[in-house]
Amino acid sequence: MTKNNKTKQDELYYSETHCPSCARFVGTNTRCPYCQADTQKRLSIRVFKAISVFLSTVGLLALLFYAQRIEAPIVKIGDLKELSNFGHVRIEGVVTYGTGTLNQWGSLSLTISEPAGRGGKLNDLRVTAYSNVAKELQEQGKLPVTGDRVVVEGQVRIQRKEASLLLNAPEHLTILERAPEAKLGVQPLTMTLQDITPAYLGREITVSGVVKSLATFNFGNVYRLDDASAEGFPVLLETKAIKGSMEKLPEQGDVLTVTGFLVKYQDSLEIKTDKPNSFTVKGNRTFLRAE
Amino acid sequence: MQTVLNLILNPQYLILVYFSFIGVLFSLIVSFLPALHIYNVLGILMLLVFHLEVALPPMHLIALCIGMIVGYSIFNTVPASFFGPGDESMSYYVLPSADWLEKGRGYESVILTAIGSLGGIVIMAILAPLFIKIVPILKTVTGPHLFWILGAVIAYAILSEWPKGLSYSSSRLTNFLEGWKYLGIGLLTFFLASILGFIVMNKTLVPVDFAFQSITPVFVGLFAIPWLITNIINIGKVPKQHIPETVEIDWALVYQGSFSGFLGGFFAAFMPIVTAGIGGLLSSHATAQRDNRLFILSYGTCKTVYYVGSFLLFFIPGVYLTRGGLASIVSPVMFATGYREYFLFVAIMVFSAGISFLMLMPFTKACIRLVEKVNYKWVSIVTLVLLIPAVFKFTGFGGLAIMAVATGIGLMPVLFQARRMNLMAVLLVPVCVSMAGYGNHVLRFLGLI
């Protein structure tokens, strides 16, 4: 392109990207990196520089001020959908599984529920807290137990279409009301397997039964007790309960007596315990646990 | 032979080819429009799937996503070269690419990057059976150390930036201030982005119904809008481009560039929050790259391995590693199943890469013709006018506020000549600090708890 057919825009581009002193290309630099001469920049760049500084400092402070003052929205467990993933919400409910202790990794895991309409069916949500938060809750005496009415705030995680909530600060757990059982020191209910119904969800109960089958997982062992059904009634002895107990591990045909909390697992009921010495075993087919 | 033919010609698998092809076409459109990132489009797709309850079998959705991510990882070099960089992973590539563009070698630069991308796909396909054994071990070994590895990455990203100012004043203070001017802007950008990250990752300022894309206004503000603004205020023109019949490269450079790019890309794919830009920087320094051709090619490998590899990791049976934006978006509805699906993933990935490469050449030529004939500034203005209401529609006033602040921060490195990589502090710092166990201390200090 010759100098004669250069447009005004070309000239402007040249004057703003080349040093007026040494004529070398300086790009967006306001000072020539070769001879240190100041270069002219058009108004639009200067305006956007001012906007950038304003938004990134004053704007950020205003956003921080606003964020400090807003509370996470309260939502129903049943309203949590795939699109709520990563949302920061508050949920009010009753703890249907909470032992008041930390698990073997020092973290906290509990289940909270809320009634879902007339059917009385419960909407459940697993709430977890990493060990640093769980330890702070323990120090503050705020570990929830079954029956407590609580408000928890945290980040929603939905994986494999299952929702859970990550409690990320001890301040985000409020115990609205302690469980009546916790206040009165109610003893576990002793029941037969046939008497167990969803009405006892969250209660600590003691049952006995013959081990029909067993399955071993990395989080514990699941024993199915004979309750005249095809599958048997599931009892989960978590690893912490197994390792902390001096009792022999049950085998098929043994009579297992266990005290644990009645919880929901997927769509069925289950007795779950992580307390050492919460189970006893009777029967001929027992073997010493390998240490 | 008959078994193989039965497998290949089974309609059940042929339909996956169809869906992956649709995905590639989607990514082509996304790459053509400025400021649109594939993750935003996938977010909108997920919205449609959930809201309209579109009955799409999981494997069809997976094939669609693979087509989109593979296509995007190859096509997005074109807008980055001719229309400006879209995200942090792209801006790393722009310096040598811009240099080639000025010399009329933009087409060659795009094809070199695409050769690198193909190299990355081939390496991943070869190593796919090995990943099943290696990745679980890597996950177990690195699990407790992620926070300090991320800390080291942050430290390297900051410390590897050199002073740009040139001052020969007799005053030491003047020289010092000149030297630190650009570094200071980089550090300020890093600091402000970190604070923004702590806010958006711990408070939901957008409606809960859109929480799965709550990071969208942040990235639109940090990368997309500064890109559009730069296009709008830019008065320069793309010089006439030469379209050569061959590219100047030999096999040794292809091997070297693909290997280097794979290292960076796999690191970025495996580590949480680390992007291709950072991975590329680390690997290019680690392998001491000198040649511009090598840099451009290895960048192609790096970004493809990052985008596609992070999604591939999600499907390794028994590992369930959620890395990268796409895996996070789809994790509520998709999950790793078995070896059959994993190797189907690999097959679809290879098919999509081949199709994308064939489509890349006419696409690049079309884009070159477009920038020569149409003032791209107007496309950017229209996109900006559409983008802001779209963000408001999905994320409300909270999203707009986040986007505005992020735009301010995102413009800083562009207008004050600092590294755009500093913007990634928006995720790197909050995640690293939280992993180290100090997240709540910072949040209390900021008054966010």
Side-chain angles (χ1 to χ4, degrees):
Chain A
M1 188 180 288
T2 61
K3 199 171 183 178
N4 292 339
N5 61 9
K6 267 188 179 174
T7 63
K8 266 188 173 180
Q9 201 179 22
D10 290 332
E11 283 173 10
L12 180 67
Y13 175 73
Y14 185 87
S15 68
E16 291 195 357
T17 53
H18 290 76
C19 175
S21 175
C22 67
R24 279 188 276 194
F25 182 79
V26 294
T28 53
N29 285 306
T30 49
R31 186 184 290 183
C32 174
Y34 309 103
C35 72
Q36 303 296 300
D38 285 332
T39 58
Q40 277 292 323
K41 292 292 162 209
R42 60 192 178 278
L43 184 65
S44 58
I45 292 182
R46 273 180 276 158
V47 167
F48 279 107
K49 276 186 175 177
I51 290 173
S52 164
V53 172
F54 178 79
L55 283 177
S56 59
T57 52
V58 178
L60 185 67
L61 281 176
L63 192 69
L64 180 63
F65 185 78
Y66 173 66
Q68 285 169 340
R69 273 146 192 83
I70 58 160
E71 283 202 328
I74 288 197
V75 298
K76 298 273 180 201
I77 295 171
D79 292 339
L80 294 176
K81 299 282 184 301
E82 288 90 344
L83 301 179
S84 320
N85 200 18
F86 302 124
H88 206 84
V89 299
R90 281 185 299 157
I91 286 168
E92 186 179 338
V94 175
V95 178
T96 47
Y97 174 71
T99 59
T101 57
L102 305 183
N103 61 29
Q104 64 192 92
W105 299 281
S107 55
L108 177 71
S109 178
L110 55 111
T111 305
I112 63 170
S113 304
E114 64 186 15
R118 284 185 203 168
K121 190 175 171 265
L122 292 175
N123 276 330
D124 293 336
L125 182 75
R126 193 164 60 85
V127 179
T128 53
Y130 291 136
S131 58
N132 54 345
V133 175
K135 201 176 160 196
E136 281 187 68
L137 283 170
Q138 191 179 38
E139 285 165 4
Q140 293 170 17
K142 277 172 70 177
L143 288 180
V145 293
T146 304
D148 286 351
R149 203 159 64 82
V150 297
V151 175
V152 287
E153 181 183 330
Q155 194 179 49
V156 178
R157 296 279 174 89
I158 298 178
Q159 289 183 325
R160 301 174 181 229
K161 298 192 176 184
E162 285 283 326
S164 63
L165 190 93
L166 179 68
L167 178 68
N168 40 21
E171 291 89 337
H172 289 164
L173 174 80
T174 310
I175 297 176
L176 299 174
E177 195 183 347
R178 276 289 185 190
E181 289 86 350
K183 283 189 266 186
L184 299 171
V186 172
Q187 295 298 308
L189 293 168
T190 301
M191 313 178 70
T192 63
L193 288 167
Q194 286 75 15
D195 291 339
I196 295 174
T197 65
Y200 295 101
L201 262 173
R203 292 295 303 266
E204 194 174 20
I205 57 179
T206 303
V207 288
S208 291
V210 177
V211 176
K212 202 173 172 184
S213 64
L214 66 96
T216 307
F217 301 94
N218 57 0
F219 53 84
N221 296 353
V222 175
Y223 298 91
R224 290 199 171 265
L225 304 187
D226 192 359
D227 62 346
S229 68
E231 304 90 28
F233 192 92
V235 171
L236 168 62
L237 301 184
E238 291 191 350
T239 310
K240 190 176 169 185
I242 294 170
K243 283 192 173 169
S245 176
M246 295 303 291
E247 192 65 40
K248 298 161 186 176
L249 280 183
E251 287 286 327
Q252 206 173 5
D254 290 343
V255 177
L256 172 67
T257 303
V258 61
T259 302
F261 288 95
L262 185 68
V263 295
K264 248 175 75 177
Y265 177 70
Q266 292 175 346
D267 285 332
S268 61
L269 298 173
E270 176 185 89
I271 290 171
K272 179 175 170 180
T273 178
D274 67 350
K275 290 181 189 165
N277 301 318
S278 57
F279 65 95
T280 55
V281 181
K282 280 184 188 168
N284 296 326
R285 296 176 58 87
T286 54
F287 302 91
L288 273 176
R289 176 171 55 87
E291 291 297 332
Chain B
M1 186 64 189
Q2 195 172 356
T3 318
V4 174
L5 276 177
N6 280 342
L7 193 72
I8 293 171
L9 299 176
N10 190 327
Q12 190 193 344
Y13 299 127
L14 282 179
I15 197 149
L16 299 181
V17 171
Y18 164 76
F19 273 101
S20 62
F21 183 69
I22 295 287
V24 172
L25 283 181
F26 256 131
S27 67
L28 188 84
I29 297 163
V30 173
S31 303
F32 188 72
L33 295 171
L36 261 187
H37 196 286
I38 197 75
Y39 291 161
N40 303 142
V41 177
L42 272 158
I44 294 165
L45 179 75
M46 286 296 138
L47 265 176
L48 291 175
V49 170
F50 297 140
H51 272 310
L52 305 177
E53 295 181 354
V54 178
L56 205 58
M59 208 55 216
H60 294 182
L61 195 57
I62 291 169
L64 187 72
C65 289
I66 297 168
M68 285 172 93
I69 198 72
V70 172
Y72 182 75
S73 78
I74 293 175
F75 294 135
N76 71 353
T77 316
V78 181
S81 299
F82 300 105
F83 316 144
D87 65 359
E88 187 277 331
S89 296
M90 292 309 306
S91 57
Y92 172 65
Y93 153 84
V94 166
L95 272 178
S97 159
D99 183 37
W100 282 40
L101 191 72
E102 278 296 311
K103 293 170 183 161
R105 296 177 68 187
Y107 181 82
E108 210 180 332
S109 153
V110 168
I111 298 301
L112 265 187
T113 318
I115 292 171
S117 296
L118 280 188
I121 294 286
V122 170
I123 296 176
M124 279 196 290
I126 292 169
L127 294 181
L130 218 61
F131 285 161
I132 297 170
K133 292 279 176 201
I134 291 173
V135 173
I137 299 169
L138 272 179
K139 186 187 175 190
T140 310
V141 171
T142 55
H145 306 285
L146 285 178
F147 76 93
W148 71 256
I149 298 174
L150 281 182
V153 169
I154 292 171
Y156 191 81
I158 293 175
L159 293 171
S160 60
E161 186 162 17
W162 291 96
K164 291 193 193 89
L166 285 169
S167 170
Y168 301 105
S169 167
S170 55
S171 161
R172 283 184 185 175
L173 182 67
T174 307
N175 292 340
F176 177 80
L177 291 177
E178 179 70 15
W180 273 88
K181 192 165 75 180
Y182 300 105
L183 294 183
I185 292 290
L187 289 175
L188 182 65
T189 307
F190 187 88
F191 174 74
L192 294 172
S194 310
I195 303 289
L196 180 66
F198 277 109
I199 296 171
V200 295
M201 288 178 84
N202 293 282
K203 292 277 180 176
T204 298
L205 304 177
V206 303
V208 175
D209 284 348
F210 199 71
F212 83 112
Q213 281 273 292
S214 58
I215 209 76
T216 295
V218 178
F219 280 93
V220 168
L222 287 179
F223 298 106
I225 294 184
W227 174 5
L228 294 171
I229 289 174
T230 314
N231 280 349
I232 292 166
I233 63 175
N234 182 24
I235 53 170
K237 284 180 182 168
V238 175
K240 188 160 177 58
Q241 298 297 304
H242 170 62
I243 297 176
E245 290 293 316
T246 55
V247 284
E248 190 194 336
I249 191 118
D250 55 45
W251 283 108
L253 274 182
V254 173
Y255 294 141
Q256 204 180 335
S258 300
F259 172 71
S260 161
F262 177 77
L263 286 183
F266 187 75
F267 181 77
F270 182 76
M271 292 297 294
I273 313 299
V274 176
T275 58
I278 301 170
L281 173 83
L282 295 174
S283 71
S284 65
H285 286 196
T287 54
Q289 287 173 9
R290 293 281 174 197
D291 194 323
N292 259 357
R293 291 174 300 166
L294 191 60
F295 179 90
I296 291 173
L297 191 139
S298 78
Y299 172 73
T301 313
C302 182
K303 75 182 164 86
T304 299
V305 172
Y306 161 68
Y307 279 120
V308 184
S310 55
F311 195 41
L312 177 72
L313 292 179
F314 184 65
F315 288 91
I316 295 177
V319 180
Y320 201 62
L321 206 56
T322 313
R323 298 282 190 261
L326 183 53
S328 299
I329 292 169
V330 302
S331 63
V333 285
M334 287 182 197
F335 44 87
T337 41
Y339 293 102
R340 183 175 150 273
E341 284 78 11
Y342 175 68
F343 286 107
L344 266 176
F345 183 113
V346 176
I348 298 168
M349 172 185 84
V350 173
F351 168 77
S352 305
I355 287 288
S356 302
F357 188 80
L358 290 176
M359 289 166 79
L360 179 77
M361 288 174 265
F363 176 59
T364 312
K365 286 175 189 168
C367 285
I368 289 173
R369 273 199 293 276
L370 180 88
V371 290
E372 280 172 357
K373 287 182 181 163
V374 180
N375 190 346
Y376 200 68
K377 180 189 283 188
W378 293 107
V379 182
S380 298
I381 290 172
V382 171
T383 310
L384 190 63
V385 167
L386 294 174
L387 189 65
I388 295 172
V391 170
F392 176 69
K393 161 85 180 147
F394 289 118
T395 64
F397 285 107
L400 272 191
I402 295 169
M403 189 184 73
V405 174
T407 300
I409 301 172
L411 278 171
M412 287 183 86
V414 179
L415 298 175
F416 295 95
Q417 295 97 50
R419 260 191 195 163
R420 264 189 165 182
M421 195 180 286
N422 292 311
L423 296 172
M424 281 312 292
V426 74
L427 296 179
L428 274 172
V429 175
V431 170
C432 178
V433 171
S434 297
M435 279 181 170
Y438 299 107
N440 285 339
H441 298 290
V442 178
L443 291 175
R444 283 182 196 119
F445 176 76
L446 292 174
L448 292 172
I449 291 182

